[in-house]
Amino acid sequence: MCVDCAGNFCSLLKGLFSGSMKTPVLLCVLLFSQSWAFEFIIDGDLIYVMCFVCVCMQAIQGNDITVKSYKVESRITSRFAHTTVKSSVVNSGHNAQSIGFNVEIPKRAFINNFTMNVNGITFTGSVKEKSVARNLYAQARARGKAAGIVRYSMETFRTEVHVPPGSKVEFELHYQEMMQRKLGVYQHTVHLQPGRLVPLLQVDVYIFEPKGIKFVTASNTLGEQFSDLTKITHTKEKAHIVFKPTLQQQCKCENCTESAVDGVFTVKYDVERESNAGELQVSEGHFVQFFAPSDLSPLSKNIVFVIDVSGSMWGLKMKQTVEAMQAILDDLSMDDYFSIIDFNHNVRCWNEDLVQASSIQVNEAKKYIQSIKPNGGTNINEALLRAVQMLLRASNQGLIDPRSVSMIILVSDGDPTVGEIKLSTIQKNVKRVMREEFSLYSLGIGFDVDFDFLERIAMDNRGIAQRIYANHDAADQLKTFYSQVSSPLLRTIAIHFPENAVNNVTQNRFDKFFHGSELIVAGKLQPSDLTTLQSLTTASANMDLNIQTEADIHGLDSVLSTHQHSFTGFARQMWAYITVNQLLAERSLAPTANKKRRITQRIMALAVEHQFVTPFTAMLVEGHDQGGAERLIADSPRDSKHGLERKFPEYSFMFCLCYLPHPFDFNVVDNDPHFIIHFPKSNMDICFNIDSKPGHILNLISDPGTVTINGQLVGSKKMKNNKIDTYFGTISIYSKTHGVQVIVGTNRIDLMEGRNNHSFSWGATAELVLDRMRVTIVKEEHVTVTIDGKISVMVLLHRVWKKHPVQVDFLGVYMSSDNKYSTRVHGLIGQFAQEPELKVYGVHEGADPKKKEATMVVKGNKVAVTRGWQKDYRRDKKRGSDVYCWFIHNNGKGFIDGSYTSYILPQLDSFLTAI
């Protein structure tokens, strides 16, 4: 018999149970927010009902019931969350009744297990292909066994079981999701709506991030009385967030029996990063690469805002859109170009061409937006084509900086009603004219809009779509979305791996990277004897960027095994999660039915292997007791949509190698600070020290109007022999010709080009190409800066142990003696670019028998010199290799022009004045 579970549900059950049947168990798994019919089957002791009921959702539903416990536990490991929701309930009434278990889950989560114990009968779930699950369901029906189709929406899971008095029911639901970084934050939410007071109500969120947790916060929308009830325990790599209100704290008022717990519990956090380095993790034969650079200057933008002003936008929708656009326009910078297209049955342009976002133009645009009066139909096709034409015209006229980012942002609330109205044709039309460097972002306001279409057309053109809920905070939703795409930092990003070391790599090429977001690539390791895995990330911004990352293949598994609450299978499940979502997105864009079928087969195989309930798989729920097996099926609605990213082909791996020339053809400043000047014609090395004060900036190279290289001194922690030793703590290479400055410190490397500032850590190997300058960073070793292929400077990093009593971290500078400067070059090193005549005579034994003494004639001066040695640390930073040289005393007096104090400059980018 078929039953409509609305309205007369309870009276129907009462009638059924008034018969001569044995005590029944009625199981009902329901969908909230989606309608469909279920079958009602009676089989002796068991009655299973599957139906839809539209009610206000609470986690636990029923009248005379006692909820013993309601627990939520989330284990987040490396951005991947496994959440378990458990509840123990007793029918404490005098009659049989229904008990509901309802869980609201995140949009992008996959349910991957469900277990229920009803009076000793345990039902456990397993994911299978839908056809297999349906066949098993049919077999159970044929044998007269209890069976049913159990479905859930992608956001709500509902289960209802009818049990006799005194019955105990235990529910347990599992789902998994990948944390998405937005505006610099990962956000994990748990919906808490127990519907009644619970003796044991507890939320535990365990976070483990191998690189370290930068911050973690917790908040809720439950009310002020719960604001101080969260406890956070936070160490470098781990965090434990506990929310555990007592019965009294759950009450709405002092003498109330109603629960005030009804809202969302939210945990936000971010991880520590090696500045712009990627993070590569390997676990259980899978790898995950995270990439989220931050210290980069935003690229300029070219934006065409396309706004629906049809009649359906009248009222609150238009008011909220205008409010959001006011703020968005104010956010544009002087480097941005923009225009506005509004459309109903006609298409109007505020300006036919892109204009610079000056304060005058922005104010004019804001006035235009305020004057819009919605009316008429919806001509989406013509509006989008006009927007593309505007970008094309600007590009062809040279208005668009080749390093900028061009995008169209569409805001609409309805389907097309004027002009071309066939959605597939509109999609093809836009795809045909869009250039690869343009992107389309779609914002659908309200529920009337065909969001699937907006999502497809955005994905097809390197963008994303988002639904904007038409309520009082729609303006904030629009502004938040814009904030996510308003600061592009990189273009054409590719993350490569050695092709003989990995396979089944997820999407590894990305069109853009926005500030505060994160790119993630995952894959499988091929069997090999490798102990490390390397990746190379390449990208374009205001420079060409190459970053190399390395990970120990076995190290993370050892760490995870020692952490009780970490999710050890995170890498395997994350790879499957990303792959399934990308396949779902790829399937939605597949042009032929045959291709859709092939993709569907891959989705089903992966979802079954990794136990994900998807639009093409179902959960078979089986239980065993003395009466035999019982089966139910849980599957997802056919119209569920997943995935925002597409699969791209793999690329072979590229290695970044750095070679050191044969010794010794370098000019060196290292240690505290010792100068070594190499004279190739004389085949002689001359050494001297400079004893200056911490904070002083010494000029090494000053080539007027072109290049200046300076070093700033830092002092040791303590005095030694009544003297503070000094070292170079900062080295600046400034090319005035290119307007680029590289500042190398012991903590980071900064690149500055006009208003663009980029910062990198020593924690990753990277190569950057900016105009005609190349910067190569070798992880925790050295930085090499090459200018026009003529000047090469290597800055060597010296680390001392953390609690060294005297020394500090410092830098050494190595410059090729083949560097090409102008004839006007000067500086402590630059003055020797043109080799002076040198003569050493009168060599004799010195006070130290190991060190000869002599007289040197240089620049017309006679200078006393001592034969000794200094260190070249390029190959061995710990011990160095000896470089024998003639040492000049008294701060190089007589060897350098003037006094060393003449080489002290006010700023790191200063040039030397006349000596």
Side-chain angles (χ1 to χ4, degrees), residues 48-120:
Y48 287 80
V49 179
M50 291 74 200
C51 56
F52 171 79
V53 181
C54 184
V55 294
C56 181
M57 196 192 81
Q58 294 177 337
I60 306 297
Q61 287 184 319
N63 294 318
D64 295 325
I65 64 172
T66 301
V67 181
K68 296 289 188 181
S69 64
Y70 189 86
K71 299 180 181 179
V72 180
E73 179 184 286
S74 292
R75 289 178 292 153
I76 304 173
T77 299
S78 296
R79 292 75 144 176
F80 197 77
H82 181 109
T83 300
T84 304
V85 184
K86 297 180 182 180
S87 186
S88 179
V89 186
V90 175
N91 179 5
S92 51
H94 299 292
N95 301 308
Q97 66 169 314
S98 296
I99 298 175
F101 175 66
N102 314 306
V103 180
E104 190 170 347
I105 64 174
K107 288 181 181 180
R108 292 178 57 85
F110 285 132
I111 284 179
N112 71 323
N113 199 2
F114 172 65
T115 301
M116 180 172 60
N117 186 291
V118 184
N119 290 332

Side-chain angles (χ1 to χ4, degrees), residues 517-567:
S517 64
E518 184 171 58
L519 303 180
I520 302 179
V521 179
K524 294 182 176 181
L525 297 183
Q526 295 192 36
S528 71
D529 297 328
L530 293 175
T531 58
T532 60
L533 177 67
Q534 292 179 318
S535 70
L536 178 67
T537 302
T538 61
S540 297
N542 293 315
M543 69 183 83
D544 293 328
L545 179 68
N546 296 282
I547 295 180
Q548 188 172 314
T549 311
E550 185 175 86
D552 186 294
I553 286 178
H554 306 292
L556 183 55
D557 285 333
S558 300
V559 174
L560 290 173
S561 64
T562 65
H563 292 279
Q564 179 183 356
H565 296 288
S566 64
F567 178 35

Side-chain angles (χ1 to χ4, degrees), residues 291 293 299-302 403-408 434-441 461-464 484-494 507 509-515 517-519 539-540 645 648:
F291 184 61
L299 303 173
S300 57
K301 304 181 295 295
N302 314 294
R403 296 183 296 184
S404 64
V405 168
S406 299
M407 63 180 77
I408 297 168
M434 283 281 279
R435 284 187 181 173
E436 285 295 319
E437 61 267 30
F438 300 164
S439 297
L440 171 62
Y441 297 90
N461 294 284
R462 297 159 297 282
I464 59 174
Q484 295 171 24
V485 299
S486 63
S487 294
L489 300 183
L490 295 172
R491 299 172 60 243
T492 57
I493 306 100
Q507 176 187 345
R509 291 177 64 84
F510 305 91
D511 185 61
K512 297 175 184 67
F513 172 79
F514 294 97
H515 177 71
S517 64
E518 184 171 58
L519 303 180
S540 297
E645 297 171 340
F648 283 78

Side-chain angles (χ1 to χ4, degrees), residues 330 338 350 358-368:
D330 281 335
F338 79 104
W350 165 67
S358 64
S359 58
I360 295 175
Q361 297 287 11
V362 166
N363 287 333
E364 290 297 318
K366 288 164 70 175
K367 292 177 185 177
Y368 180 81

Side-chain angles (χ1 to χ4, degrees), residues 865-878:
V865 294
T866 301
R867 188 65 170 167
W869 60 87
Q870 298 292 356
K871 295 288 188 179
D872 171 12
Y873 293 97
R874 288 174 299 158
R875 284 177 175 77
D876 186 344
K877 286 203 297 182
K878 187 174 182 180

Side-chain angles (χ1 to χ4, degrees), residues 283-307:
S283 176
E284 295 188 346
H286 293 73
F287 69 87
V288 184
Q289 167 85 54
F290 304 97
F291 184 61
S294 56
D295 296 328
L296 301 171
S297 293
L299 303 173
S300 57
K301 304 181 295 295
N302 314 294
I303 309 180
V304 181
F305 298 99
V306 181
I307 302 173

